[in-house]
């Protein structure tokens, strides 16, 4: 369903321009062909194999909840075992044994009446009313569960642990397909908030999310085909059973080479043979391309916030080359991060030996790495991790996407990362970099990197420096950033400088730099200290530039 709405959004973004182009090329044909998006995105996922099933689910919810669109004669009134079992489970957990027993007797009488009915099994299966999950009427008496959150879905990563949550999500999905989108979201262009809630669970890193589902730019080779295998939250001692289930699930995929499959762990802890069994599952299921570990709990609020995270860095030593995206979102403890730094260094030291595990796997396998929202990790440890990127035989030498947002790295560590990304001699071709919310402040070290960088062939395409609070002296770093957009940052397609206390001084220097930057598509300078006069002056300069370019 999420992919359905992604395709809907793509259609609304790109189809108007495509229609205009087709009309110009052929004035007699004004309609776009039915499979219009394929002409723009050649590998676009269509999900035809499950289209009928999704439509049945949508229609069932419409029949149940959208009474205005369904004739009275077609409305469903009774409930099958699909609603009975969750309701019995809810009653049992809430202590309503008498009500559960009465409900069971009522269902038994209903089964007897159903055996005497002439309805076919298919008709009986369609006769489902999920309203019973919130309120039942047994012998004229109203029965309501004590808590709509006490059910078997409460440990799911994106919990539909109340019938209203599930209903609202699916009905919102139905309305979106019928009416389309009309508003913009802060996370993705015009993507509904409930979809972003789900996507943030599967892709905590916004940078990696945009890499897999590129909605902010035009990527004609993108398939937008992802499968998020979300593991239940809990404590894992092993992954053998789950690995077998995932292997069976992956065997059913059509064209698996076009699918970006990820395994997601959220709010979980790890012990025992978890790492070894997970690695075995990854080797047996080579279509898995991403691993995501995330935690909602703020460090210090819970003793179990990062429990067992010391096992996770060992994945880096033997991770298969098929896994290209790795995310640690508020998961690694300080000791776990230190272990990761040591492991990356050891792999780097062993890289001369072509028979080592590290040289066959980690070296060159990771294309995207995210270590985010971990301000508790020591800056010196982050510095060690960063240094493992810069070597010629670095295990991360093919890294293209690096997200270190929300770690309070400071000016010096952030400057070192930026220098690696901008250096023409660096073996790592980082093109997408997120250093947002890292307390860069005045940024003397970052400014010095931009000044001393040798202009050759800029590689960086996406840069996020938002939320770094450049402060009252923002003029020095801000002016250098504005000037760099015309040389060392001239290949940037997107830059985010929001929430940095920028003023009109920055806008004054930005206009001239944009004259020599023909690649920039997205510029976010929201939530700064611009006056209305400086904004009007900047917009006037942009207007004059556009007229002169024409």
């Amino acid at each position: 369903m999420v992919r359905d709405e992604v395709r809907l959004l793509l259609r609304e973004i790109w189809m108007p321009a495509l229609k205009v182009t087709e009309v110009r090329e052929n004035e007699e044909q004004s309609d776009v062909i039915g499979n219009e998006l394929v002409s723009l995105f050649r590998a676009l996922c269509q999900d035809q194999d499950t289209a009928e099933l999704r439509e049945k689910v949508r229609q069932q919810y419409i029949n149940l909840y959208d009474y205005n669109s369904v004739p009275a004669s077609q409305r469903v009134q009774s409930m099958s075992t699909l609603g009975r079992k969750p309701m019995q489970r809810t009653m049992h957990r809430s202590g309503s044994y008498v009500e559960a027993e009465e409900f069971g007797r009522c269902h038994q009488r209903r089964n007897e009446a159903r055996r005497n009915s002439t309805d076919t099994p298919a008709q009986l299966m369609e006769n489902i009313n999920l309203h019973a999950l919130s309120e039942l009427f047994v012998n004229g008496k109203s029965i309501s569960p004590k808590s709509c959150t006490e059910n078997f879905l409460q440990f799911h990563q994106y919990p539909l642990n109340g019938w209203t949550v599930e209903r609202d999500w699916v009905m919102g999905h139905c309305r979106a397909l019928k009416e389309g989108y009309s508003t913009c979201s802060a996370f993705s262009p015009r993507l509904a908030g409930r979809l972003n809630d789900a996507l943030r669970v599967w892709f905590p890193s916004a940078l990696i999310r945009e890499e897999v589902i590129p909605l902010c730019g035009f990527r004609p080779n993108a398939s937008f085909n992802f499968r998020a295998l979300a593991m239940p939250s809990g404590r894992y001692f092993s992954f053998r059973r789950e690995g077998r289930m995932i292997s069976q699930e992956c065997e059913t995929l059509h064209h698996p080479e076009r699918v970006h499959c990820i395994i997601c762990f959220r709010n979980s802890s790890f012990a025992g043979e978890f790492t070894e069994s997970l690695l075995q599952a990854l080797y047996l299921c080579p279509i898995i391309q991403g691993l995501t570990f995330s935690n909602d709990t703020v460090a210090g609020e819970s003793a179990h916030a990062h429990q067992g995270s010391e096992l996770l860095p060992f994945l880096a030593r033997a991770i298969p080359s098929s896994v290209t995206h790795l995310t640690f979102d508020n998961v690694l403890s300080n000791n776990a991060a230190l272990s990761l730094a040591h492991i990356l260094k050891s792999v780097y030291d062993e890289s001369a030996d072509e028979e080592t595990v590290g040289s066959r796997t980690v070296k060159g396998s990771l294309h995207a790495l995210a270590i985010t929202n971990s301000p508790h990790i020591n800056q010196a440890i982050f510095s060690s991790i960063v240094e493992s990127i810069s070597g010629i035989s670095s295990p991360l030498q093919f890294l293209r996407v690096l997200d270190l947002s929300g770690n309070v790295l400071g000016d010096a560590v952030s400057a070192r990362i930026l220098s690696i990304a901008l250096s023409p001699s660096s073996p790592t071709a980082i093109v997408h970099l997120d250093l947002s919310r890292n307390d860069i402040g005045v940024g003397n070290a970052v400014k010095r990197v931009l000044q001393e960088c040798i202009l050759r062939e800029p590689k960086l395409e996406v840069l996020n420096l938002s939320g770094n609070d450049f402060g009252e002296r923002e003029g020095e770093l801000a002016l250098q950033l504005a000037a760099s957009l015309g040389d060392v940052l001239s290949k940037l397609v997107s830059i985010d400088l929001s929430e940095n206390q920028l003023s009109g001084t920055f806008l004054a220097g930005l206009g001239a730099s944009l004259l020599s930057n023909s690649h920039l598509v997205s510029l976010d300078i929201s939530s700064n200290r611009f006056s209305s006069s400086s904004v009007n002056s900047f917009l006037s300069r942009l207007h004059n530039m556009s007229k002169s370019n024409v």
Side-chain angles (χ1 to χ4, degrees):
M1 289 184 178
V2 173
R3 291 191 298 274
D4 271 333
E5 293 197 48
V6 168
R7 286 188 290 269
L8 171 65
L9 179 58
L10 291 174
R11 186 173 293 107
E12 293 196 1
I13 291 175
W14 297 106
M15 285 306 99
L18 184 61
K19 286 185 178 182
V20 171
T21 302
E22 290 194 354
V23 169
R24 288 177 179 174
E25 293 178 354
N26 185 0
E27 295 182 355
E28 295 180 358
Q29 181 180 356
S30 59
D31 295 329
V32 183
I33 59 175
N35 207 17
E36 66 273 21
L37 281 177
V38 179
S39 61
L40 289 178
F41 302 97
R42 295 181 292 274
L44 183 67
C45 166
Q46 299 289 337
D47 289 322
Q48 293 297 332
D49 54 322
T50 59
E52 184 177 351
L53 176 61
R54 295 196 309 277
E55 184 56 34
K56 282 184 177 180
V57 172
R58 285 191 289 262
Q59 192 57 50
Q60 184 178 77
Y61 272 81
I62 291 173
N63 291 342
L64 292 173
Y65 297 115
D66 192 358
Y67 291 103
N68 294 327
S69 63
V70 180
S73 60
Q74 298 180 14
R75 294 175 187 167
V76 180
Q77 298 298 332
S78 65
M79 182 185 68
S80 74
T81 55
L82 182 66
R84 178 180 63 87
K85 291 181 179 179
M87 188 58 209
Q88 283 183 322
R89 191 177 292 111
T90 301
M91 289 178 174
H92 179 77
R93 291 184 178 181
S94 61
S96 182
Y97 298 102
V98 176
E99 293 170 348
E101 185 178 358
E102 187 177 4
F103 180 82
R105 288 196 298 267
C106 177
H107 180 76
Q108 184 177 3
R109 290 194 299 269
R110 185 174 296 149
N111 280 340
E112 294 175 355
R114 190 171 292 160
R115 282 193 293 269
N116 297 328
S117 172
T118 58
D119 291 341
T120 65
Q123 290 171 327
L124 293 175
M125 284 299 295
E126 293 177 357
N127 194 20
I128 297 171
N129 186 353
L130 297 184
H131 279 302
L133 290 179
S134 73
E135 186 170 6
L136 294 174
F137 291 90
V138 179
N139 295 331
K141 178 183 177 182
S142 174
I143 300 177
S144 298
K146 295 181 180 179
S147 173
C148 67
T149 61
E150 295 181 358
N151 65 26
F152 67 105
L153 287 175
Q154 64 179 339
F155 295 108
H156 194 273
Q157 288 205 23
Y158 183 67
L160 299 176
N161 55 4
W163 70 274
T164 56
V165 180
E166 179 178 305
R167 177 203 64 188
D168 293 345
W169 202 100
V170 179
M171 292 305 294
H173 167 72
C174 294
R175 284 192 298 272
L177 294 185
K178 180 180 179 180
E179 303 170 3
Y181 291 124
S182 59
T183 60
C184 284
S185 170
F187 300 98
S188 301
R190 298 186 295 172
L191 201 58
R194 57 192 165 72
L195 267 71
N196 281 305
D197 290 340
L199 290 174
R200 279 195 298 271
V201 169
W202 306 327
F203 301 99
S205 166
L207 213 57
I208 293 180
R209 187 162 67 241
E210 179 62 23
E211 175 80 4
V212 178
I213 314 170
L215 296 175
C216 296
F218 179 55
R219 295 253 305 274
N221 294 324
S223 68
F224 299 89
N225 193 1
F226 62 92
R227 296 292 191 279
L229 306 174
M231 298 294 104
S233 300
R235 184 166 176 79
Y236 288 85
F237 290 90
S238 176
F239 198 71
R240 296 185 185 278
R241 182 184 62 180
E242 294 84 352
R244 289 192 294 268
M245 296 173 60
I246 287 177
S247 180
Q248 294 173 2
E249 180 68 21
C250 292
E251 290 176 358
T252 64
L253 292 177
H254 296 269
H255 303 292
E257 69 280 359
R258 303 177 186 174
V259 182
H260 185 93
C261 288
I262 61 170
I263 300 179
C264 311
F265 297 90
R266 186 183 186 213
N267 298 335
S268 297
S269 57
F270 313 97
E273 61 169 14
F274 171 78
T275 303
E276 295 85 348
S277 55
L278 175 59
L279 285 171
Q280 290 177 3
L282 293 175
Y283 276 100
L284 292 174
C285 196
I287 69 170
I288 301 296
Q289 298 181 37
L291 284 176
T292 293
F293 300 89
S294 64
N295 197 338
D296 292 339
T297 307
V298 178
E301 289 187 358
S302 172
H304 306 286
H306 303 126
Q307 190 173 16
S309 65
E310 288 79 6
L311 295 177
L312 301 182
F314 291 97
L315 293 169
R317 176 171 290 278
I319 198 168
S321 58
S322 55
V323 178
T324 57
H325 294 64
L326 183 60
T327 299
F328 298 112
D329 178 51
N330 187 25
V331 165
L332 299 178
S333 65
N334 212 55
N335 289 335
L338 183 60
S339 297
L340 178 61
H342 289 163
I343 288 172
L344 291 175
K345 184 179 184 302
S346 66
V347 172
Y348 170 75
D349 293 339
E350 296 169 356
S351 61
D353 181 6
E354 292 299 325
E355 296 302 319
T356 62
V357 173
S359 64
R360 295 198 310 269
T361 57
V362 174
K363 183 179 178 182
S365 66
L366 284 182
H367 296 172
L369 174 64
I371 305 176
T372 58
N373 300 315
S374 304
H376 55 276
I377 297 179
N378 190 281
Q379 290 185 3
I381 296 177
F382 266 117
S383 182
S384 299
I385 294 175
V386 169
E387 290 305 321
S388 67
I389 301 175
S390 59
I392 296 177
S393 300
S394 166
L396 302 176
Q397 61 176 308
F398 292 105
L399 201 65
R400 291 175 50 85
V401 179
L402 180 61
D403 187 349
L404 296 177
S405 59
N407 293 314
V408 195
L409 298 178
D411 183 27
V413 179
S414 299
R416 178 57 179 146
I417 299 168
L418 191 61
S419 67
I420 294 173
L422 295 177
S423 173
S425 60
S426 173
T428 304
I430 297 176
V431 293
H432 295 175
L433 177 62
D434 192 340
L435 293 175
S436 61
R437 296 176 288 114
N438 272 307
D439 197 24
I440 292 177
V442 175
N444 290 325
V446 171
K447 180 187 68 174
R448 191 159 50 249
V449 167
L450 294 173
Q451 290 173 335
E452 297 174 357
C453 183
I454 301 174
L455 176 62
R456 196 169 295 175
E457 290 187 8
K459 299 177 293 185
L460 207 56
E461 297 179 2
V462 175
L463 177 61
N464 190 340
L465 292 174
S466 64
N468 277 298
D469 192 15
F470 294 157
E472 295 299 325
R473 295 180 57 202
E474 54 85 11
E476 299 180 17
L477 178 56
L479 286 177
Q480 185 59 53
L481 280 168
S484 297
L485 285 172
D487 44 63
V488 295
L489 299 179
S490 60
K491 199 177 178 181
L492 280 183
V493 176
S494 172
I495 184 170
D496 189 343
L497 297 172
S498 59
E499 300 182 31
N500 277 314
Q501 297 193 41
L502 299 174
S503 66
T505 308
F506 170 78
L507 288 181
L510 181 61
S513 297
L514 293 180
L515 285 172
S516 53
N517 189 318
S518 59
H519 294 90
L520 193 63
V521 174
S522 174
L523 171 65
D524 190 344
I525 50 178
S526 60
S527 302
N528 283 297
R529 298 186 293 114
F530 303 130
S531 64
S532 58
S533 59
S534 62
V535 171
N536 290 334
S537 176
F538 175 68
L539 293 177
S540 178
R541 293 191 69 178
L542 287 181
H543 180 68
N544 294 333
M545 287 165 50
S546 63
K547 291 196 333 186
S548 62
N549 288 337
V550 172

